[in-house]
Amino acid sequence: MPKVAYYPGCSGQGTSLEYERSTRAVCQAVGLELVDVPDWSCCGSSPAHMVNHVLSAALSARNLDLAHSLGMEVVATPCPSCLTNLRNAAVEMEDEGFRSKVNALLDRPYTGAVDPQSVLQVLVEQVGVDEVARRVTKPLTGLRVACYYGCIMNRPPERMRFDDHENPMAMDRLMEAIGLEVAPFPLKVECCGASFGVPRGDIVMRLSGKLLDAARGLGVDAMVTACPLCQMNLDLRQRQINAALHERFRIPVFYYTQLLGLALDVPRQELGLDRLCVDPRLALGKIKAPAPVQ
Amino acid sequence: MRIYDLATAEQDFIAEVAARSHQDVRTCYQCGNCTAGCPYTFVYDYSVSQIMRLIQLGQQETVLRSKSIWLCGSCQSCTTRCPNRIDVAKIMDVCRHMARERGYATEREVKLFADSFLRSVERHGRAFELGLMVDYVLHSGKVFTDLDLAPTALARRKLPFQPHPIVGRDQVERIFQRFRQGGAHA
Ligand code: SF4
Ligand code: SF4
Ligand code: SF4
Ligand code: SF4
């Protein structure tokens, strides 16, 4: 059974609790063991790298060190923003000069070589799309979705080394494996407006509005994301976007783990579908009951 | 078209950007690929390729007082698509660091929001979303524009009222303290 260290990230304790819980439930259902990084702290997220790269790497390195102390080679996180920070720290600390500056900020110097990956990558590479498909008990046929990856999960490609950086397919393939119809979404890696929602809401209105508009143009019933911030911009802020752009979007925005969880028939309360802001019931009602086995 | 007097080119600035980003800014030949893919140009005062050119011309004040460096979303499109493999997003980041160190904050709210976030991490070891919102409102003196979201967010229990304490809170606090004392550059 594959086993990795697990770094949940702060937003999983609050705004994206449903992503965090559905991720754990799905990994359990497909036999991927997640070992929590003990007493993890914030990776620093985008504010830290906006201030200083050594500070940002130190905040991440404390967590890499804790993962290393578990004896793990891979630390998986559901959040692309955490992934970027952890990966940047890991890669930049391959340089001795940079590493010593980072270590000068830490109580305990980081000596490991833990590789941060997304949970999505681990699911696709260590469990496999076929294995996920084999475990499906409730295929979600009848539902058409657009998969949105966000801007940083696969970019820059030399650093992220996973999937295609212009047209990533990992989520598309997983969603197809559970019976969904996946529309080819041209804005898969466009930015949603990042963390500007609070200080410059107009940016998120415009950029996330563009994503919703493109999804609507494809006639999808829902969007699927792998990022807590993308999800929040598209879902929680959808009403603000409608007001700002004089639009009437009503597109539910799922975490891919919520849909996987439905297809794998994990306990409903682990999926937190009631926490989505745009009501998903209309979309979910389109799922066709599987034909009775003869 | 604007004309820049090369006599005002600050060589130190060019060198500092290059050294801190580990990028050779001279190799930019202004193809415009970065700007073509940048989703934020609509709020920039100088497009990202213009920022690159201004750096080559040593126009320190124009660059460090620009809005663009604060509004870059670090989406990595420019870095991914530059034919000369310049890590453009990193250069934008480094300019933001340099602006901050000089006390500039052309997009004040953006800076204050990052400050509130980091204060929250320093205090709790993790980002505490509700607390950092309150901190941001207090420091920016801005009317909170997201109040309309509160009922939805609260009904869906999206904002816990308590931070999640961690044992190593002090270790995280010391990272910040040492950073402030040492002024680590990179
Ligand atoms: S990137 Fe976001 S979710 Fe990840 S640890 Fe940092 S704040 Fe928390
Ligand atoms: S698309 Fe937006 S939220 Fe998603 S990863 Fe990029 S910046 Fe972050
Ligand atoms: S893509 Fe690269 S070479 Fe082209 S303008 Fe931008 S930085 Fe310069
Ligand atoms: S990283 Fe910044 S400058 Fe580069 S394309 Fe994205 S927003 Fe524009």
Side-chain angles (χ1 to χ4, degrees):
Chain A
M1 178 150 127
K3 183 164 135 179
V4 293
Y6 179 65
Y7 179 81
C10 308
S11 56
Q13 315 297 303
T15 43
S16 67
L17 192 68
E18 64 272 35
Y19 188 26
E20 155 73 358
R21 291 187 62 176
S22 57
T23 296
R24 288 181 188 275
V26 162
C27 290
Q28 193 181 18
V30 299
L32 170 63
E33 191 180 342
L34 303 177
V35 185
D36 281 55
V37 172
D39 203 47
W40 57 272
S41 49
C42 180
C43 66
S45 192
S46 46
H49 84 73
M50 285 167 70
V51 170
N52 184 283
H53 289 151
V54 176
L55 173 66
S56 174
L59 291 169
S60 290
R62 177 179 179 270
N63 296 293
L64 295 175
D65 182 55
L66 292 166
H68 177 64
S69 69
L70 292 171
M72 298 287 182
E73 282 165 20
V74 170
V75 58
T77 176
C79 170
S81 181
C82 305
L83 174 66
T84 294
N85 270 302
L86 297 173
R87 175 68 67 86
N88 280 346
V91 171
E92 281 168 16
M93 286 178 81
E94 286 167 10
D95 176 87
E96 279 307 321
F98 187 82
R99 183 183 285 247
S100 65
K101 284 186 202 169
V102 174
N103 280 340
L105 300 187
L106 295 170
D107 279 10
R108 185 170 72 192
Y110 174 55
T111 54
V114 179
D115 185 24
Q117 297 183 2
S118 64
V119 171
L120 179 65
Q121 177 174 6
V122 177
L123 279 175
V124 168
E125 291 181 352
Q126 296 201 33
V127 177
V129 175
D130 294 343
E131 177 61 17
V132 172
R134 202 180 61 75
R135 295 184 187 241
V136 169
T137 50
K138 297 237 166 88
L140 309 185
T141 38
L143 198 61
R144 183 174 155 86
V145 299
C147 292
Y148 172 56
Y149 294 73
C151 58
I152 51 174
M153 190 154 49
N154 308 290
R155 301 194 303 193
E158 305 78 37
R159 173 132 320 171
M160 303 319 283
R161 298 193 316 269
F162 171 60
D163 211 347
D164 189 90
H165 60 276
E166 296 288 356
N167 183 24
M169 286 299 289
M171 247 196 296
D172 289 50
R173 285 167 56 219
L174 276 175
M175 292 300 101
E176 279 166 4
I178 60 173
L180 293 157
E181 182 190 343
V182 181
F185 188 50
L187 303 183
K188 278 179 180 177
V189 298
E190 281 298 305
C191 185
C192 67
S195 51
F196 287 108
V198 175
R200 282 290 304 258
D202 59 313
I203 295 179
V204 173
M205 302 301 110
R206 164 102 161 225
L207 297 183
S208 284
K210 202 159 75 178
L211 297 170
L212 291 166
D213 188 48
R216 181 175 59 188
L218 292 170
V220 299
D221 303 303
M223 291 180 77
V224 187
T225 64
C227 170
L229 195 53
C230 304
Q231 201 279 343
M232 185 163 72
N233 283 341
L234 293 167
D235 182 41
L236 175 66
R237 293 190 184 277
Q238 199 170 120
R239 232 182 28 208
Q240 284 183 333
I241 294 169
N242 282 336
L245 306 181
H246 310 292
E247 279 287 1
R248 292 165 155 225
F249 295 117
R250 250 191 76 193
I251 305 177
V253 187
F254 294 102
Y255 289 106
Y256 77 99
T257 45
Q258 290 179 306
L259 295 176
L260 281 178
L262 281 175
L264 296 166
D265 205 19
V266 312
R268 260 312 244 270
Q269 71 269 17
E270 301 302 317
L271 302 180
L273 292 163
D274 57 329
R275 289 171 51 94
L276 300 180
C277 300
V278 177
D279 192 339
R281 280 175 297 189
L282 189 68
L284 292 176
K286 293 194 174 176
I287 296 171
K288 296 192 190 85
V293 184
Q294 301 293 317
Chain B
M1 182 174 160
R2 211 170 310 178
I3 295 173
Y4 289 96
D5 179 359
L6 284 181
T8 67
E10 294 187 48
Q11 299 299 332
D12 294 352
F13 174 62
I14 307 173
E16 187 177 350
V17 172
R20 292 177 66 164
S21 66
H22 305 281
Q23 304 299 307
D24 188 350
V25 292
R26 291 170 308 180
T27 58
C28 167
Y29 51 40
Q30 289 291 297
C31 70
N33 262 11
C34 49
T35 297
C38 176
Y40 288 76
T41 307
F42 78 103
V43 283
Y44 281 5
D45 43 4
Y46 299 93
S47 70
V48 52
S49 49
Q50 284 173 331
I51 294 284
M52 288 298 294
R53 189 72 184 127
L54 288 166
I55 295 171
Q56 289 178 329
L57 297 175
Q59 301 300 310
Q60 169 166 262
E61 287 301 295
T62 310
V63 171
L64 297 187
R65 289 188 188 274
S66 73
K67 289 179 184 296
S68 308
I69 58 172
W70 292 97
L71 296 174
C72 160
S74 301
C75 79
Q76 308 297 322
S77 172
C78 49
T79 295
T80 303
R81 295 175 187 167
C82 173
N84 292 322
R85 317 191 84 197
I86 303 172
D87 191 343
V88 188
K90 190 164 185 188
I91 292 177
M92 294 294 273
D93 234 11
V94 160
C95 290
R96 197 156 32 195
H97 303 165
M98 291 169 66
R100 194 177 249 281
E101 287 159 16
R102 285 161 176 76
Y104 301 167
T106 314
E107 283 285 325
R108 181 172 165 270
E109 275 81 26
V110 173
K111 175 184 179 288
L112 292 178
F113 186 69
D115 292 346
S116 297
F117 184 99
L118 292 175
R119 263 196 298 275
S120 179
V121 176
E122 179 167 0
R123 190 170 306 151
H124 306 295
R126 291 183 190 164
F128 169 46
E129 290 160 321
L130 191 62
L132 85 87
M133 294 297 182
V134 173
D135 181 275
Y136 170 72
V137 172
L138 290 177
H139 281 86
S140 65
K142 250 184 68 167
V143 181
F144 194 43
T145 44
D146 278 341
L147 267 188
D148 58 324
L149 297 180
T152 318
L154 295 178
R156 287 167 180 73
R157 306 177 309 284
K158 290 211 170 254
L159 293 172
F161 290 103
Q162 296 289 327
H164 297 262
I166 71 164
V167 182
R169 201 191 62 85
D170 300 353
Q171 297 168 7
V172 176
E173 197 178 4
R174 283 194 290 273
I175 292 176
F176 282 94
Q177 285 167 353
R178 292 188 193 111
F179 168 69
R180 277 192 293 268
Q181 288 157 7
H185 272 220

